[in-house]
Amino acid sequence: MFAASFKSETRKIFTLKTWWILGLVMFLLTALSAGTYGLLAMLSDQIPELAMIPIDALTIYGSITSAGYVIPLLSGALATTNEYRHRTLTPTFLATPKRGIVFSAKLPTQLLLGIFYGLLGLAAAVGLGAPLLLAAGYETALSDPSTWWLFLRIIAVLAIWGAIGVGLGALVKNQTVAIVIALVFTQFVEPIIRTIGAAFEWVSEAVKYLPGAATDAFVGASAYSALGEVGSTGLEWWIAGLVLLAYTVLVCALGSQISWKKDVS
Amino acid sequence: MSKEVTLELQGVSKKFESTLAVNDLSFSVHPGKITGFLGPNGAGKTTTLRILLGLVSQDSGRALVNGQSYRELENPANLVGASLDSNSFHPARTGKDTLMVQTSAAGIPDARIAEVLNIVGLTEAANKKVGEYSLGMRQRLGLASAMLGDPQVLVLDEPINGLDPQGITWVREYLKHLASEGRTILVSSHVLSEVEQTVDSLVVINRGKLVYEGTVKNLRSQTKTSVFVSATESAKLEAALSASHKFIKREDGVVIEDVEPQEIGELALKNGIALTQLRTESTGLEKAFLELISNGGAE
């Protein structure tokens, strides 16, 4: 039953355009952020003020997650909210009346898509970032094993965000609301809180546990840490990973146990 | 058919906030015939069908397919085919892709898709997006989806809605054919005349309560027809009628209840009255149906 449901969920994704449109956005977003940092690196010997920003290869590669984690989040949220919005839960639950199976079949499809988005992000960040670093006279760090370890963490965290999206969409139901929450929280609310948090030590202790901060801490290199959250050291990478897993479990449990179980009429 | 499957509701009730949508409803649907599920809009038909198919949870009572609740069925699509909502398709998916999502979920070979599309006459529109389909085409797609598993049971909610006259005739003939193979078929409608010629049995509900369960024939025999008649010399007609019949005067003629048109024709002939119109006002079946659903129901 699970295998059949997984196959059906995969077909749901590849019979629509959303997956590659989001992939394209992922690629462009990462290219933009890696390109910007690459250009800053090139300009830093001419403009001394720029040297304050510690740009290195890991910052550029790490920008994949800070710029792009919203992409798998949206992908996952669309996978569940599409079912409510287009009333496709009716045929879906007619074919697979055990609803938990349908929900759990959505998770691996979105985990795999998250990995796909991670690979696209890496292609853009390395493809554009590495030549710019070389041109600026920096190391690309591609021969360093820790860089490849960073790549793995980037891919893993993007996969996790796909699963968080599935849970968020299932819980919220309304597609527009889910998209607004995903965009506003990741792009405005959390960055603002983190900026404020940087100024007050007691806030920064709590801010570390926000999903975006945990994502950065897990990856260990990102724009925020580069731009210097003063006084904030962030979580240990493995604690950050556990925090993200806790968010995933919480939002998926709420989504699958509350909204997903309601009457489909 | 390998086995005959019965649908059964036992004392099912469902409340939505303050309204009792389904009220202690019990009935059964048997194989080898088409059962019409009738009631006015808002009577609780759709809710009942969704309870039967595990999409809505009842507050009390049991809804059984082949003796089991739908949610317990191992692979329901091979036993029950259902078309409940002509708007339950993603508009950006093609008709064929919509069915591909269903076959994979139910473990049905993809080769079956071309077959069902051919049955419902959507082969040419298979690669068109469902968003470009007319209501009638979406109804056909729903029926195609229901037929994927070649199921013993078909549950269709208002399947004729939106179909053109040819489509309606085709659906009627197709359902009759399926019933003749021993399948169990439940078809809902809020218009009796829509299904009158097709169904063998009727389940009528009003305000969530059962008001009739039985054959069409039995319901028809419960009332007689009424007749509308008019004549150029209307005063003479009324005088002739008043001796033997009760009638209701209308602007352009009179209506006589519980009578056959032949009787009135003969009376007119005997009195030398030239009739301008003589027709059955409403069939007995329609009247009986309207009586069933005009009562308080739940009260």
Side-chain angles (χ1 to χ4, degrees):
Chain A
M1 274 216 60
F2 181 82
S5 206
F6 175 72
K7 191 174 177 189
S8 183
E9 289 305 322
T10 312
R11 282 184 172 181
K12 279 179 192 169
I13 289 162
F14 292 117
T15 51
L16 296 176
K17 290 177 184 163
T18 324
W19 71 275
W20 66 258
I21 293 174
L22 283 176
L24 189 66
V25 174
M26 180 79 196
F27 187 86
L28 295 176
L29 266 181
T30 324
L32 185 71
S33 93
T36 306
Y37 285 116
L39 287 174
L40 287 177
M42 285 183 74
L43 292 172
S44 61
D45 52 347
Q46 289 156 41
I47 307 167
E49 285 82 2
L50 285 175
M52 283 171 66
I53 305 169
I55 292 162
D56 59 14
L58 296 189
T59 310
I60 290 182
Y61 305 148
S63 69
I64 295 167
T65 46
S66 38
Y69 77 92
V70 69
I71 298 296
L73 175 63
L74 286 175
S75 172
L78 288 173
T80 31
T81 53
N82 261 346
E83 302 263 21
Y84 295 113
R85 183 180 169 199
H86 299 293
R87 298 156 79 161
T88 47
L89 277 183
T90 293
T92 294
F93 288 160
L94 282 175
T96 317
K98 294 184 174 73
R99 300 184 183 187
I101 289 178
V102 179
F103 185 88
S104 54
K106 284 186 186 293
L107 294 176
T109 55
Q110 292 301 322
L111 287 171
L112 290 172
L113 268 181
I115 291 171
F116 168 71
Y117 294 137
L119 292 172
L120 276 180
L122 278 175
V126 177
L128 192 65
L132 286 172
L133 282 165
L134 281 176
Y138 284 77
E139 294 275 330
T140 61
L142 286 175
S143 56
D144 187 345
S146 71
T147 305
W148 292 89
W149 176 225
L150 171 75
F151 291 171
L152 267 183
R153 292 203 305 275
I154 287 170
I155 290 171
V157 87
L158 290 173
I160 288 175
W161 274 101
I164 293 177
V166 171
L168 174 74
L171 182 64
V172 172
K173 286 179 141 183
N174 184 302
Q175 187 158 70
T176 312
V177 172
I179 291 171
V180 167
I181 289 176
L183 290 176
V184 169
F185 188 82
T186 60
Q187 307 302 304
F188 299 103
V189 176
E190 188 173 333
I192 289 169
I193 296 176
R194 286 172 76 181
T195 310
I196 296 167
F200 304 97
E201 199 179 335
W202 63 273
V203 183
S204 73
E205 277 308 301
V207 162
K208 282 184 199 173
Y209 292 91
L210 288 174
T215 301
D216 287 340
F218 179 75
V219 171
S222 86
Y224 286 104
S225 38
L227 292 170
E229 283 177 289
V230 186
S232 167
T233 47
L235 299 168
E236 287 285 323
W237 74 269
W238 61 273
I239 295 176
L242 289 178
V243 168
L244 280 177
L245 270 183
Y247 278 120
T248 312
V249 170
L250 178 73
V251 76
C252 284
L254 289 176
S256 65
Q257 297 307 309
I258 300 174
S259 314
W260 201 247
K261 294 241 166 121
K262 293 237 167 88
D263 289 341
V264 179
S265 47
Chain B
M1 288 286 103
S2 53
K3 63 178 167 184
E4 303 201 318
V5 181
T6 302
L7 305 174
E8 204 177 357
L9 262 84
Q10 300 171 346
V12 169
S13 293
K14 175 72 181 179
K15 208 171 190 172
F16 287 120
E17 281 153 26
S18 60
T19 30
L20 200 54
V22 181
N23 185 358
D24 193 23
L25 187 59
S26 302
F27 65 85
S28 51
V29 183
H30 299 281
K33 58 183 182 179
I34 304 173
T35 302
F37 187 36
L38 281 114
N41 283 326
K45 300 188 297 293
T46 298
T47 303
T48 304
L49 295 182
R50 285 181 176 269
I51 288 171
L52 188 63
L53 298 171
L55 294 166
V56 168
S57 303
Q58 66 269 39
D59 298 330
S60 57
R62 300 208 300 165
L64 303 170
V65 177
N66 202 20
Q68 273 183 299
S69 87
Y70 190 89
R71 288 184 195 178
E72 288 164 11
L73 297 172
E74 255 329 300
N75 199 353
N78 290 331
L79 186 70
V80 185
S83 175
L84 295 182
D85 182 357
S86 54
N87 290 316
S88 62
F89 306 110
H90 196 297
R93 225 170 248 139
T94 65
K96 190 183 161 202
D97 285 345
T98 300
L99 297 180
M100 295 259 292
V101 168
Q102 290 305 104
T103 50
S104 52
I108 296 163
D110 288 338
R112 177 70 178 154
I113 292 171
E115 289 174 27
V116 293
L117 284 171
N118 185 44
I119 290 172
V120 302
L122 277 181
T123 305
E124 305 216 329
N127 293 314
K128 256 193 178 178
K129 285 179 179 165
V130 177
E132 294 164 26
Y133 279 22
S134 64
L135 174 57
M137 289 165 86
R138 294 201 303 275
Q139 287 280 22
R140 286 170 187 264
L141 183 62
L143 190 58
S145 181
M147 288 309 294
L148 280 172
D150 195 18
Q152 269 104 6
V153 183
L154 265 188
V155 177
L156 308 173
D157 198 3
E158 307 264 357
I160 286 166
N161 193 15
L163 287 177
D164 53 26
Q166 286 154 303
I168 292 172
T169 312
W170 171 77
V171 168
R172 282 177 178 158
E173 291 310 310
Y174 184 58
L175 293 182
K176 278 181 187 171
H177 166 72
L178 292 173
S180 73
E181 293 178 325
R183 297 182 214 241
T184 309
I185 299 173
L186 182 63
V187 181
S188 85
S189 176
H190 63 282
V191 188
L192 177 69
S193 58
E194 214 174 65
V195 293
E196 190 187 330
Q197 301 143 16
T198 324
V199 302
D200 309 290
S201 279
L202 281 175
V203 171
V204 184
I205 65 167
N206 189 28
R207 299 193 192 182
K209 256 187 124 84
L210 185 75
V211 289
Y212 181 79
E213 182 178 14
T215 61
V216 177
K217 214 171 143 188
N218 191 32
L219 182 62
R220 186 176 275 131
S221 68
Q222 284 181 9
T223 54
K224 286 183 185 167
T225 42
S226 57
V227 163
F228 174 85
V229 62
S230 65
T232 37
E233 303 168 278
S234 53
K236 201 174 165 187
L237 173 68
E238 283 162 29
L241 280 169
S242 59
S244 52
H245 294 85
K246 274 190 179 169
F247 60 87
I248 302 153
K249 266 182 87 161
R250 283 215 199 138
E251 211 175 301
D252 53 345
V254 296
V255 173
I256 310 114
E257 300 223 326
D258 290 348
V259 77
E260 293 298 325
Q262 190 189 350
E263 198 182 325
I264 303 301
E266 284 167 358
L267 184 103
L269 179 66
K270 211 160 50 183
N271 290 280
I273 302 164
L275 296 182
T276 49
Q277 286 189 76
L278 175 64
R279 58 180 154 85
T280 310
E281 178 68 351
S282 67
T283 67
L285 196 60
E286 257 170 19
K287 229 173 99 187
F289 175 63
L290 288 172
E291 258 166 41
L292 284 174
I293 62 173
S294 65
N295 293 331
E299 272 74 43

